[in-house]
Amino acid sequence: MSSFSHHNDQPFVSNSVITAIGTYVPERKLTNDDLAAMVDTNDEWIVQRTGIKERRIAEENEFTSDLIARAIDNMLDRYGSDLSDVDYIIAATSTPDTIFPSMAASIQAKYHIRQSGSIDIQAACAGFTAALQLANGLLLSGLYRKVLVLAADALTKITDYTDRTTCILFGDGAGAVLMERAKDGNGALLGAYSDTEGEGGKHVYLSNLSPSIGDFPIQTQGKLVQNGREVYRWAVSRVSEGIRALLQQCGLQPGDIDWFVPHNANQRIIDALCERVGFREEQALSSIAKYGNTSAASIPLALDDAVRDGRVKAGHTLLLHGFGGGLTQAGVVLRWQLP
Ligand code: UT7
């Protein structure tokens, strides 16, 4: 099967395969009733508007690098992977414990990986799928053979628990995958897509050095600010166009996809994307009821739940599509090859 880039009509090339996956969510649960005791909300509103029933929340002394390490340990337990020859680490996160050292560098030290490049990327909820695209490029360049791709966020650390419009949404979690050069040269990635509408950045943001940025509506004081309605509108319109474009590039119909794994932001958005693109709702993997919106971690978490319970099988074709802060989106189609 050949696919083309929407950027330049060149054939899309991949020589990478995913050889292991692991995930982690913190033990502690935050239920809708817990939130109803903190702000003016209730279980019925949250379930109806978002599909979320509970989410996991990191301990006070538990940070993104800790979540990542637990996801890597889970991957090592299940697949017995060898990390000693990892030669590049990419960590996608918007909530690094420290800006530098990067989370990728911290993980290099923690796992005593001998010689490896390391970089954090920040593409909010599109981070995991953007990192898969970058890892594919690194492997194709010939410079690297084995890339550790990490995606994690501890959004509860930057959530304003006095704002009922955002605090009901977010949870913490982490995912890890290994991407390696395919032995036969045939990669598992069948296509990729990216798009950004930076003009809409002011609809979901977190300030860093400057508390008030351009025409962004309010100072964030280290907490995430979101105009949910605007992000929702963008997600169901421009993101659904992106998913359709990705399918078209790959010469695939929605029915050719075994599992659609969208960023889990809101069950209503997932259902609307299915309707607009033409997926049946049963094709979509969602773990939003259990974990809420975990940003970069949400795609690996939803995917891995289905890998563990046997829904996702070797040979299945998956479409993973991340979208969020930026506003940006990144999608990949891939053939799953793990048991
Ligand atoms: O991952 C990053 C990308 N982020 C997203 O994709 C988020 C996208 N947006 C959303 O998921 C939804 O917009 C929300 C879940 C954030 C909000 O749902 P909505 O259906 O868009 O609600 P709304 O903002 O239009 O608010 C409807 C009403 C308002 O009351 P009025 O003005 O109609 O009287 C809100 O004040 O619901 C009220 N409301 C709440 N009521 C009870 C807002 N939050 C709550 C709440 N509990 N937690």
Side-chain angles (χ1 to χ4, degrees):
M1 185 190 309
S2 61
S3 88
F4 289 85
S5 160
H6 62 290
H7 299 289
N8 55 21
D9 291 335
Q10 293 299 304
F12 175 80
V13 189
S14 159
N15 69 345
S16 24
V17 288
I18 291 179
T19 55
I21 182 168
T23 47
Y24 175 73
V25 287
E27 293 295 320
R28 188 148 64 106
K29 291 180 181 172
L30 187 65
T31 66
N32 291 349
D33 288 340
D34 294 336
L35 286 161
M38 296 157 70
V39 289
D40 180 16
T41 191
N42 57 74
D43 177 61
E44 194 191 347
W45 191 96
I46 300 173
V47 171
Q48 218 171 55
R49 299 288 182 129
T50 72
I52 301 168
K53 293 187 174 143
E54 59 188 32
R55 60 295 283 142
R56 301 301 184 94
I57 177 166
E59 299 296 334
E60 239 165 77
N61 61 355
E62 190 179 29
F63 295 94
T64 297
S65 66
D66 303 309
L67 307 181
I68 292 175
R70 300 294 289 266
I72 293 174
D73 291 344
N74 174 257
M75 180 178 84
L76 298 179
D77 283 350
R78 290 160 61 194
Y79 293 92
S81 313
D82 177 12
L83 296 187
S84 67
D85 57 348
V86 162
D87 45 20
Y88 216 95
I89 307 168
I90 304 177
T93 182
S94 308
T95 49
D97 330 0
T98 48
I99 304 272
F100 49 87
S102 65
M103 295 300 89
S106 303
I107 290 299
Q108 177 277 324
K110 198 166 211 149
Y111 289 87
H112 311 292
I113 296 168
R114 277 194 310 271
Q115 192 186 7
S116 167
S118 57
I119 191 169
D120 282 5
I121 65 157
Q122 197 288 97
C125 308
F128 178 65
T129 38
L132 291 183
Q133 293 190 19
L134 294 174
N136 183 57
L138 292 176
L139 292 162
L140 269 177
S141 76
L143 281 174
Y144 305 102
R145 287 173 180 276
K146 198 175 196 179
V147 184
L148 179 60
V149 176
L150 309 164
D153 269 307
L155 281 194
T156 66
K157 308 275 187 205
I158 55 157
T159 296
D160 177 357
Y161 283 97
T162 64
D163 174 7
R164 70 174 181 169
T165 68
T166 55
C167 74
I168 51 134
L169 298 171
F170 303 116
D172 302 332
V177 299
L178 269 176
M179 259 181 115
E180 302 184 50
R181 276 196 221 164
K183 295 209 165 52
D184 59 5
N186 283 326
L189 259 60
L190 307 178
Y193 179 90
S194 311
D195 176 53
T196 301
E197 187 175 300
E199 298 81 357
K202 64 182 173 200
H203 298 315
V204 51
Y205 60 96
L206 170 73
S207 73
N208 182 20
L209 296 180
S210 163
S212 63
I213 330 149
D215 62 349
F216 286 21
I218 42 175
Q219 300 197 358
T220 74
Q221 293 159 337
K223 300 293 180 198
L224 183 156
V225 176
Q226 175 171 256
N227 179 339
R229 239 177 258 188
E230 288 296 335
V231 181
Y232 193 103
R233 218 191 309 271
W234 168 79
V236 297
S237 56
R238 189 139 164 181
V239 174
S240 64
E241 280 169 28
I243 298 167
R244 279 201 301 267
L246 173 55
L247 282 169
Q248 196 182 10
Q249 273 165 233
C250 300
L252 295 172
Q253 299 295 323
D256 299 323
I257 299 294
D258 292 292
W259 298 106
F260 168 45
V261 198
H263 166 50
N264 284 201
N266 180 328
Q267 190 58 44
R268 278 163 57 219
I269 294 179
I270 297 175
D271 295 345
L273 289 176
C274 285
E275 196 189 317
R276 289 196 174 208
V277 177
F279 292 121
R280 285 171 286 108
E281 281 180 13
E282 313 83 76
Q283 279 173 280
L285 294 180
S286 167
S287 50
I288 194 153
K290 295 192 291 183
Y291 306 138
N293 178 346
T294 55
S295 189
S298 90
I299 290 178
L301 285 175
L303 170 61
D304 199 27
D305 269 8
V307 169
R308 291 184 209 219
D309 68 23
R311 275 174 293 161
V312 169
K313 293 185 172 51
H316 278 178
T317 304
L318 315 182
L319 190 154
L320 318 182
H321 209 94
F323 54 88
L327 303 168
T328 194
Q329 57 177 310
V332 296
V333 173
L334 59 87
R335 192 89 72 204
W336 192 250
Q337 297 183 337
L338 292 174

